[in-house]
Structures are given as structure tokens and as C-alpha cells.
Amino acid sequence: MSKITLSGHIEVPKEDLNAVLTELPKHIALTHQEAGCITFTVTQDSDNPQRFDVYEEFTDKAAFEKHQARVKASHWGEVTKKVERFYTVTES
């Protein structure tokens, strides 16, 4: 099995920023509870409040895919549907 790492950032439209900030702690907590989550961080950029750096590691592709499916079907997925994502996903 290969570990999956996602790194990059998201850019949140100004009109969605408050909703994203409100929902983010729940999204982080739920992700940390997922089977296969090694690490998951989302950090708001101090110079650009609409940019959030994202880093996550999952034990394998199956765990990562379950995470992606949960996110798409969650309230977080709804809140962030207009967010631009700039990610690199690697397998090691």
C-alpha cells in the first residue's frame, strides 16, 4: 500500500469566507476521525485571508478516496463548492 499526500492551497471567494471559517473546525475534526488519516491541516494565510494552505496524508488510496467522497457529500462540500483548488496529489 502507498501513502497518499495532498498539498497545495484553496482560494475562497470573499462572499464565502465567513461560511468557510465557520465550518472549517468541524471539517478538520471530522477528517481527523477518518480511518486512514495520518495528518490533515488547513491554515489561513496571514497575508491573504482568502487563501488557505492545505496538507493531508492518508495511509492509502482507499482511505483518501473515502475522504474525498465524504467531503463532496458533506456540508463542507456545499460551503466550498465555489472555492478554487490548487492541489498536488502524490503516492509514495
Side-chain angles (χ1 to χ4, degrees), residues 9 13-14 20-21 24-25 28 42 46 48 50 54 63 65 67 82 85:
H9 72 278
K14 194 173 283 191
V20 166
L21 288 169
L24 183 58
I28 292 171
V42 181
S46 59
N48 178 358
Q50 291 175 250
V54 180
E65 289 175 350
H67 166 70
K82 293 188 275 180
R85 291 165 169 82

Side-chain angles (χ1 to χ4, degrees), residues 24-80:
L24 183 58
K26 181 179 178 184
H27 173 57
I28 292 171
L30 290 172
T31 301
H32 284 156
Q33 293 172 13
E34 291 177 20
C37 177
I38 299 169
T39 188
F40 183 81
T41 60
V42 181
T43 309
Q44 190 174 24
D45 187 280
S46 59
D47 294 325
N48 178 358
Q50 291 175 250
R51 177 187 165 123
F52 293 77
D53 294 316
V54 180
Y55 183 82
E56 53 194 67
E57 293 179 358
F58 287 85
T59 54
D60 56 34
K61 189 173 183 178
F64 178 72
E65 289 175 350
K66 284 183 182 179
H67 166 70
Q68 292 296 309
R70 182 196 64 80
V71 167
K72 287 179 183 164
S74 71
H75 183 60
W76 175 257
E78 183 65 26
V79 166
T80 61

